[in-house]
Amino acid sequence: MKKIIAFFVIFLNLYLTAQADVMPYYINSLRRYGIGYSEVSAPLIMRREPKVDGEILETLNFNFKEEKTICEKNTDRCDIDEVFAAYSKSKKIAFMTTLDYTDGWSLVCFNQAELPVCGWVEEQKAKYYTLAEFFDTFGKKYGVYLFKDLQKSDKILYGAAAKQSNSLGSIEMPKAINPWLIRGNWMLVKVHDFNNQFKTGWLNYRGTDGKLKLFVKF
């Protein structure tokens, strides 16, 4: 009898989940800092200086089919989640955090570890996007999602790009967040909420320390 009751409870939970109006998707927060992101391709040679004869700090290879990364030097820190800020096997796309950009060279980092590995890569292997360009190009296409550990105060929509402005409500379980405009650490968004309502307002998408609170989910 107990087994029958347990089975019924499990079945009921699965049924209610399947019938839910929305199943919001949250991704883990990672330490993402920088001025933008670079779409990278393999093999990726990271150099100490932005020049073709600069010392090689790392050579990174990655395989979309097998979802595997291989570092020649930092073998113990070469996990996909450590190397890439965003990664999609199905779309064959990978981004690394960019800390600087100059004359066709991007300074990219394994930006998730406590002691990040950084190096300069040529534009042929790393197409650089500013934060505004990244969200405008990819955020509008794929939507911007909340992180799992986002604070309630970071989910508030404001009437202007300042916390002193009026609150327009908050985001609870969004189906999609689409960016319209970037202004400093603020993003004007249109939110499709769990109850099929649409809200528009300003989100503080990045902290004063440069840490990103929102990111594109591919």
Side-chain angles (χ1 to χ4, degrees), residues 65-83:
K65 185 176 181 180
E66 299 177 5
E67 291 191 274
K68 183 170 67 174
T69 50
I70 301 174
C71 302
E72 290 188 359
K73 297 184 179 181
N74 297 272
T75 56
D76 60 332
R77 299 171 57 191
C78 206
D79 185 83
I80 284 179
D81 292 335
E82 291 294 324
V83 173

mmCIF file of all heavy atoms in Angstrom, residues 65-83:
data_model
loop_
_atom_site.group_PDB
_atom_site.id
_atom_site.type_symbol
_atom_site.label_atom_id
_atom_site.label_comp_id
_atom_site.label_asym_id
_atom_site.label_seq_id
_atom_site.Cartn_x
_atom_site.Cartn_y
_atom_site.Cartn_z
ATOM 1 N N LYS A 65 31.394 18.698 -30.669
ATOM 2 C CA LYS A 65 30.717 17.402 -30.738
ATOM 3 C C LYS A 65 30.866 16.635 -29.434
ATOM 4 O O LYS A 65 29.902 16.065 -28.911
ATOM 5 C CB LYS A 65 31.279 16.578 -31.902
ATOM 6 C CG LYS A 65 30.554 15.257 -32.116
ATOM 7 C CD LYS A 65 31.102 14.529 -33.336
ATOM 8 C CE LYS A 65 30.365 13.216 -33.555
ATOM 9 N NZ LYS A 65 30.885 12.488 -34.755
ATOM 10 N N GLU A 66 32.075 16.622 -28.882
ATOM 11 C CA GLU A 66 32.337 15.871 -27.657
ATOM 12 C C GLU A 66 32.218 16.734 -26.407
ATOM 13 O O GLU A 66 32.328 16.227 -25.283
ATOM 14 C CB GLU A 66 33.734 15.258 -27.713
ATOM 15 C CG GLU A 66 33.921 14.282 -28.861
ATOM 16 C CD GLU A 66 35.343 13.743 -28.922
ATOM 17 O OE1 GLU A 66 36.135 14.069 -28.006
ATOM 18 O OE2 GLU A 66 35.653 13.018 -29.882
ATOM 19 N N GLU A 67 32.014 18.043 -26.586
ATOM 20 C CA GLU A 67 31.946 18.985 -25.470
ATOM 21 C C GLU A 67 33.171 18.832 -24.556
ATOM 22 O O GLU A 67 33.060 18.672 -23.348
ATOM 23 C CB GLU A 67 30.662 18.786 -24.667
ATOM 24 C CG GLU A 67 29.412 19.198 -25.413
ATOM 25 C CD GLU A 67 28.195 19.234 -24.515
ATOM 26 O OE1 GLU A 67 27.579 18.190 -24.347
ATOM 27 O OE2 GLU A 67 27.870 20.314 -23.992
ATOM 28 N N LYS A 68 34.330 18.916 -25.185
ATOM 29 C CA LYS A 68 35.571 18.733 -24.438
ATOM 30 C C LYS A 68 36.557 19.832 -24.782
ATOM 31 O O LYS A 68 36.666 20.253 -25.934
ATOM 32 C CB LYS A 68 36.177 17.364 -24.768
ATOM 33 C CG LYS A 68 37.441 17.046 -23.990
ATOM 34 C CD LYS A 68 37.854 15.594 -24.169
ATOM 35 C CE LYS A 68 38.300 15.304 -25.588
ATOM 36 N NZ LYS A 68 38.832 13.936 -25.736
ATOM 37 N N THR A 69 37.268 20.332 -23.769
ATOM 38 C CA THR A 69 38.317 21.325 -23.971
ATOM 39 C C THR A 69 39.659 20.726 -23.582
ATOM 40 O O THR A 69 39.750 19.934 -22.640
ATOM 41 C CB THR A 69 38.056 22.581 -23.119
ATOM 42 O OG1 THR A 69 37.786 22.194 -21.777
ATOM 43 C CG2 THR A 69 36.886 23.385 -23.667
ATOM 44 N N ILE A 70 40.700 21.113 -24.306
ATOM 45 C CA ILE A 70 42.048 20.627 -24.034
ATOM 46 C C ILE A 70 42.992 21.816 -23.966
ATOM 47 O O ILE A 70 43.126 22.576 -24.931
ATOM 48 C CB ILE A 70 42.527 19.647 -25.124
ATOM 49 C CG1 ILE A 70 41.577 18.449 -25.216
ATOM 50 C CG2 ILE A 70 43.956 19.178 -24.837
ATOM 51 C CD1 ILE A 70 41.902 17.526 -26.370
ATOM 52 N N CYS A 71 43.631 22.007 -22.820
ATOM 53 C CA CYS A 71 44.628 23.053 -22.638
ATOM 54 C C CYS A 71 46.010 22.405 -22.576
ATOM 55 O O CYS A 71 46.194 21.410 -21.875
ATOM 56 C CB CYS A 71 44.372 23.831 -21.351
ATOM 57 S SG CYS A 71 42.752 24.611 -21.265
ATOM 58 N N GLU A 72 46.958 22.972 -23.284
ATOM 59 C CA GLU A 72 48.297 22.392 -23.297
ATOM 60 C C GLU A 72 49.034 22.597 -21.981
ATOM 61 O O GLU A 72 49.853 21.767 -21.587
ATOM 62 C CB GLU A 72 49.112 22.976 -24.461
ATOM 63 C CG GLU A 72 48.636 22.523 -25.834
ATOM 64 C CD GLU A 72 49.576 22.950 -26.946
ATOM 65 O OE1 GLU A 72 50.586 23.611 -26.642
ATOM 66 O OE2 GLU A 72 49.292 22.626 -28.116
ATOM 67 N N LYS A 73 48.723 23.717 -21.270
ATOM 68 C CA LYS A 73 49.477 24.029 -20.054
ATOM 69 C C LYS A 73 48.614 23.955 -18.795
ATOM 70 O O LYS A 73 49.052 23.434 -17.777
ATOM 71 C CB LYS A 73 50.122 25.413 -20.177
ATOM 72 C CG LYS A 73 51.142 25.493 -21.316
ATOM 73 C CD LYS A 73 51.832 26.852 -21.352
ATOM 74 C CE LYS A 73 52.851 26.897 -22.483
ATOM 75 N NZ LYS A 73 53.565 28.201 -22.545
ATOM 76 N N ASN A 74 47.413 24.492 -18.836
ATOM 77 C CA ASN A 74 46.548 24.515 -17.656
ATOM 78 C C ASN A 74 45.560 23.355 -17.697
ATOM 79 O O ASN A 74 44.344 23.538 -17.728
ATOM 80 C CB ASN A 74 45.804 25.855 -17.572
ATOM 81 C CG ASN A 74 46.746 27.025 -17.403
ATOM 82 O OD1 ASN A 74 47.106 27.386 -16.293
ATOM 83 N ND2 ASN A 74 47.159 27.616 -18.512
ATOM 84 N N THR A 75 46.082 22.157 -17.665
ATOM 85 C CA THR A 75 45.248 20.967 -17.829
ATOM 86 C C THR A 75 44.250 20.779 -16.695
ATOM 87 O O THR A 75 43.176 20.219 -16.895
ATOM 88 C CB THR A 75 46.130 19.712 -17.937
ATOM 89 O OG1 THR A 75 46.985 19.641 -16.777
ATOM 90 C CG2 THR A 75 46.994 19.772 -19.188
ATOM 91 N N ASP A 76 44.586 21.271 -15.494
ATOM 92 C CA ASP A 76 43.703 21.092 -14.345
ATOM 93 C C ASP A 76 42.621 22.161 -14.266
ATOM 94 O O ASP A 76 41.762 22.106 -13.391
ATOM 95 C CB ASP A 76 44.518 21.094 -13.047
ATOM 96 C CG ASP A 76 45.289 22.395 -12.853
ATOM 97 O OD1 ASP A 76 45.633 23.027 -13.864
ATOM 98 O OD2 ASP A 76 45.551 22.770 -11.692
ATOM 99 N N ARG A 77 42.648 23.122 -15.166
ATOM 100 C CA ARG A 77 41.657 24.206 -15.140
ATOM 101 C C ARG A 77 41.019 24.373 -16.508
ATOM 102 O O ARG A 77 40.717 25.468 -16.932
ATOM 103 C CB ARG A 77 42.333 25.513 -14.712
ATOM 104 C CG ARG A 77 42.944 25.439 -13.324
ATOM 105 C CD ARG A 77 43.790 26.661 -13.046
ATOM 106 N NE ARG A 77 43.026 27.879 -13.182
ATOM 107 C CZ ARG A 77 43.564 29.096 -13.197
ATOM 108 N NH1 ARG A 77 44.871 29.235 -13.100
ATOM 109 N NH2 ARG A 77 42.813 30.159 -13.320
ATOM 110 N N CYS A 78 40.793 23.271 -17.177
ATOM 111 C CA CYS A 78 40.345 23.330 -18.567
ATOM 112 C C CYS A 78 38.926 22.816 -18.748
ATOM 113 O O CYS A 78 38.543 22.408 -19.844
ATOM 114 C CB CYS A 78 41.319 22.532 -19.438
ATOM 115 S SG CYS A 78 41.362 23.100 -21.157
ATOM 116 N N ASP A 79 38.132 22.839 -17.686
ATOM 117 C CA ASP A 79 36.738 22.443 -17.793
ATOM 118 C C ASP A 79 35.957 23.498 -18.580
ATOM 119 O O ASP A 79 36.255 24.692 -18.506
ATOM 120 C CB ASP A 79 36.136 22.292 -16.394
ATOM 121 C CG ASP A 79 34.723 21.760 -16.434
ATOM 122 O OD1 ASP A 79 34.548 20.537 -16.525
ATOM 123 O OD2 ASP A 79 33.791 22.597 -16.384
ATOM 124 N N ILE A 80 34.965 23.061 -19.333
ATOM 125 C CA ILE A 80 34.184 23.984 -20.168
ATOM 126 C C ILE A 80 33.615 25.140 -19.343
ATOM 127 O O ILE A 80 33.661 26.306 -19.754
ATOM 128 C CB ILE A 80 33.044 23.238 -20.886
ATOM 129 C CG1 ILE A 80 33.602 22.429 -22.061
ATOM 130 C CG2 ILE A 80 31.980 24.211 -21.399
ATOM 131 C CD1 ILE A 80 32.579 21.643 -22.826
ATOM 132 N N ASP A 81 33.078 24.838 -18.155
ATOM 133 C CA ASP A 81 32.486 25.876 -17.313
ATOM 134 C C ASP A 81 33.519 26.853 -16.778
ATOM 135 O O ASP A 81 33.182 27.980 -16.404
ATOM 136 C CB ASP A 81 31.730 25.242 -16.147
ATOM 137 C CG ASP A 81 30.490 24.496 -16.602
ATOM 138 O OD1 ASP A 81 29.966 24.851 -17.669
ATOM 139 O OD2 ASP A 81 30.061 23.569 -15.905
ATOM 140 N N GLU A 82 34.769 26.448 -16.704
ATOM 141 C CA GLU A 82 35.822 27.328 -16.238
ATOM 142 C C GLU A 82 36.355 28.211 -17.368
ATOM 143 O O GLU A 82 36.743 29.356 -17.153
ATOM 144 C CB GLU A 82 36.982 26.507 -15.661
ATOM 145 C CG GLU A 82 36.652 25.812 -14.361
ATOM 146 C CD GLU A 82 36.414 26.800 -13.233
ATOM 147 O OE1 GLU A 82 37.087 27.834 -13.195
ATOM 148 O OE2 GLU A 82 35.542 26.533 -12.399
ATOM 149 N N VAL A 83 36.378 27.657 -18.578
ATOM 150 C CA VAL A 83 36.994 28.355 -19.713
ATOM 151 C C VAL A 83 36.050 29.361 -20.347
ATOM 152 O O VAL A 83 36.413 30.508 -20.614
ATOM 153 C CB VAL A 83 37.471 27.345 -20.774
ATOM 154 C CG1 VAL A 83 37.950 28.071 -22.032
ATOM 155 C CG2 VAL A 83 38.585 26.476 -20.211
#
